[in-house]
């Protein structure tokens, strides 16, 4: 029988599953239930505990920047609640990859040409959209889990 490392396969798989369901819910209803984000937080706690020696100032600086974006209504509450425990469970290099990729994938998904719900006038003149990153977070989390 193959040994299964819970911190490398099962927990990231559960977090990814919750992120996928949250992305689907976000797309369909423009909301993400609290049980999804709280599930992500609870599943991340063992990883955060294992990584606590590696949590440094850049984690808190980035969380502060995300909170400012949330406070000025440019970042969704569910996105904020999901991304904070995920970044706290990562060391520096995966953290940098994760954040750069979330920004890139999120930027692509936010473009009206890729937004299936965008109205015609939004596609014609790229209107500012509120940041909805749940799908981007799910995609990037999968990639980082497979790489790392």
């Amino acid at each position: 029988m193959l040994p299964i490392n819970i911190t490398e396969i099962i927990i990231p798989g559960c977090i990814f599953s919750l992120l996928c369901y949250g992305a689907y819910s976000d797309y369909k209803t423009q909301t993400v239930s609290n049980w999804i984000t709280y599930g992500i937080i609870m599943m991340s706690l063992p990883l955060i505990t294992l990584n606590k020696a590696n949590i440094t100032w850049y984690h808190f600086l980035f969380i502060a920047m995300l909170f400012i974006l949330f406070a000025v209504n440019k970042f969704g509450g569910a996105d904020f609640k999901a991304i904070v425990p995920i970044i706290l469970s990562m060391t520096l290099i995966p953290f940098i990859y994760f954040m750069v990729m979330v920004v890139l994938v999120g930027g692509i998904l936010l473009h009206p040409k890729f937004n299936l719900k965008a109205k015609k006038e939004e596609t014609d003149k790229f209107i500012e959209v509120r940041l909805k990153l749940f799908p981007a977070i799910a995609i990037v989390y999968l990639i980082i889990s497979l790489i790392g």
Side-chain angles (χ1 to χ4, degrees), residues 103-136:
V103 169
L104 293 175
V105 172
I108 291 168
L109 292 176
L110 283 173
H111 194 282
K113 298 243 184 239
F114 295 101
N115 186 351
L116 301 176
K117 289 187 170 187
K119 297 180 176 103
K120 172 104 173 79
E121 58 272 7
E122 287 177 343
T123 14
D124 291 343
K125 24 170 188 168
F126 196 83
I127 296 175
E128 178 187 350
V129 231
R130 189 162 172 253
L131 207 50
K132 292 282 193 182
L133 284 180
F134 234 87

Side-chain angles (χ1 to χ4, degrees), residues 29-85:
T29 65
Q30 298 296 305
T31 59
V32 179
S33 298
N34 281 337
W35 72 266
I36 296 170
T37 54
Y38 295 150
I40 292 168
I41 292 168
M42 295 306 290
M43 294 303 294
S44 297
L45 287 178
L47 301 177
I48 293 169
T49 304
L50 292 172
N51 188 43
K52 69 180 173 189
N54 296 319
I55 296 175
T56 58
W57 62 270
Y58 61 85
H59 286 94
F60 296 106
L61 175 67
F62 195 78
I63 291 169
M65 290 186 322
L66 289 177
F67 184 76
I68 291 168
L69 288 172
F70 169 70
V72 297
N73 205 24
K74 296 293 180 191
F75 196 74
D79 301 319
F80 181 75
K81 288 187 285 187
I83 206 167
V84 168

